[in-house]
Amino acid sequence: MQSFVPAGPVVALLAAVAARVARIAVFVSLGVFLANLAVAFGLVDRIAAVSRYLTGPANLPDEVGTAILTTTASPTAGYGMLADFRESGLLSDRATLVAVTINTFFGFAQHIVTFYAPILVPILGARVGVLYVATRGLVALAITLTGIAAGRVLLSGHGDPAGDWTAGGEGATTDGGTPDAVGEDRPEGRTAAVREAATETIAKVREILPRLAAIYVAVAVLVEYSDALLAAAGAGGASVTNAADGLAGLLGLPGAAVPVVAAFALDTTSGAVVLAPLIESGTFTARTAVATMLVGGIVSFAVTTFKRSIPFQYGIWGREFGSKVVAVNTALKVVWIAVALVVLLV
């Protein structure tokens, strides 16, 4: 049976993919190296200094400011401190949930240095990348402010021993995943810091690029030859097209948003890579591109919640309390992302 995909265009497509992946490799290597240096030399800690001024309005003990500050350098360590405060009786369940919610923006600030700036912005370009990071930052800030408002209304202060509150917040995670332990064991001395940053950069690039290239090739081929594939699928292909058009129409997004969202469900970085050439070609404006990534982030968050967040939260808090954190984490993120989508698309 003759193939409906000519060999020549496939070779050209793979060459374009290889060139793009090579360019990304250069930017990712440089960005990750600088990010690791920033963590090693304590730059991330300075970003979180303002957190101590948020505990007062939220009626939380001063000690919680230390945990929030720590979250920016190491979300895992920040969670561990809050768990210790809860177990020691310094914080009630309700106060702990408020503190976890307030942590959200500061965990996001950490990921600006370690993921968004060095990886996502170079892939998407300055305009779309900065708009996306700013939008995600505003979502995280809205969740943090929700926690402060909740503490102001629902807590009496000084650990609030009054009882439990059945709502909680979001920890410091990437597109809904498990917090990463970043900057916990900082090397002593500049030479050691540079050496460790280089080692971590090599490991990170080796981890990212093969997966990135494989997913990008698969999705790029599907997007390039989607018409031929759907024609070969017959009626089944037509139903897929109709479903995709319906989803895109409902959100007011281009039909090409569907494969982008699917790529985000597999891997956030790969989803951005798939989207980048569609931005360059004019298929997506900056606003529709960011809206598509937010929808993809919700899908990705749903997947990673079950794969990583639930095991992590249950390990830190136990099944009952961890379930509260996961449930309201999900609710707050979906609600505020929905608000952001309305602002972008209306």
Side-chain angles (χ1 to χ4, degrees):
M1 181 175 66
Q2 186 176 3
S3 172
F4 57 82
V5 179
V10 170
V11 173
L13 179 63
L14 292 178
V17 169
R20 180 173 292 275
V21 170
R23 187 181 70 177
I24 291 172
V26 174
F27 283 106
V28 167
S29 299
L30 178 62
V32 172
F33 179 70
L34 293 176
N36 284 324
L37 282 181
V39 172
F41 288 116
L43 175 62
V44 177
D45 286 343
R46 298 187 182 96
I47 299 174
V50 71
S51 66
R52 66 190 63 180
Y53 300 106
L54 301 179
T55 54
N59 291 325
L60 290 170
D62 293 340
E63 290 84 350
V64 175
T66 305
I68 294 174
L69 184 148
T70 302
T71 296
T72 307
S74 171
T76 303
Y79 263 78
M81 293 177 70
L82 290 176
D84 183 63
F85 293 157
R86 176 173 174 259
E87 292 173 3
S88 68
L90 179 66
L91 296 176
S92 68
D93 280 4
R94 129 168 63 183
T96 303
L97 289 164
V98 168
V100 168
T101 306
I102 294 174
N103 263 352
T104 302
F105 180 76
F106 300 94
F108 174 83
Q110 185 249 11
H111 289 296
I112 291 176
V113 177
T114 60
F115 176 68
Y116 290 113
I119 297 176
L120 221 57
V121 171
I123 293 174
L124 296 170
R127 183 185 178 191
V128 174
V130 170
L131 179 60
Y132 176 69
V133 174
T135 303
R136 288 301 303 265
L138 290 174
V139 169
L141 180 60
I143 296 172
T144 290
L145 294 176
T146 300
I148 294 173
R152 189 71 174 177
V153 172
L154 299 170
L155 299 182
S156 60
H158 304 291
D160 187 55
D164 294 339
W165 177 37
T166 57
E170 171 181 0
T173 70
T174 303
D175 293 295
T178 303
D180 300 319
V182 179
E184 291 180 349
D185 299 314
R186 288 181 182 155
E188 295 183 2
R190 294 185 178 181
T191 302
V194 173
R195 186 183 302 114
E196 182 169 313
T199 300
E200 292 180 0
T201 299
I202 293 171
K204 188 68 174 178
V205 171
R206 284 179 176 174
E207 175 189 348
I208 289 176
L209 286 183
R211 182 179 70 240
L212 190 65
I215 296 176
Y216 187 18
V217 168
V219 177
V221 170
L222 288 174
V223 171
E224 182 72 16
Y225 299 103
S226 57
D227 292 339
L229 291 169
L230 290 172
S239 65
V240 171
T241 303
N242 292 334
D245 290 343
L247 177 61
L250 178 64
L251 298 175
L253 297 173
V258 176
V260 174
V261 170
F264 261 91
L266 299 175
D267 179 81
T268 300
T269 307
S270 298
V273 171
V274 172
L275 179 61
L278 299 176
I279 297 171
E280 294 173 2
S281 68
T283 303
F284 288 87
T285 65
R287 292 174 65 183
T288 57
V290 172
T292 299
M293 286 186 285
L294 291 177
V295 174
I298 292 177
V299 176
S300 175
F301 178 71
V303 173
T304 56
T305 292
F306 289 99
K307 291 176 62 177
R308 293 191 289 271
S309 289
I310 288 178
F312 175 79
Q313 301 292 359
Y314 281 21
I316 291 287
W317 309 107
R319 181 180 59 84
E320 182 178 357
F321 192 74
S323 295
K324 294 179 182 179
V325 174
V326 170
V328 182
N329 172 21
T330 303
L332 287 173
K333 175 165 276 191
V334 170
V335 165
W336 284 109
I337 287 180
V339 172
L341 285 171
V342 169
V343 172
L344 284 168
L345 297 177
V346 170

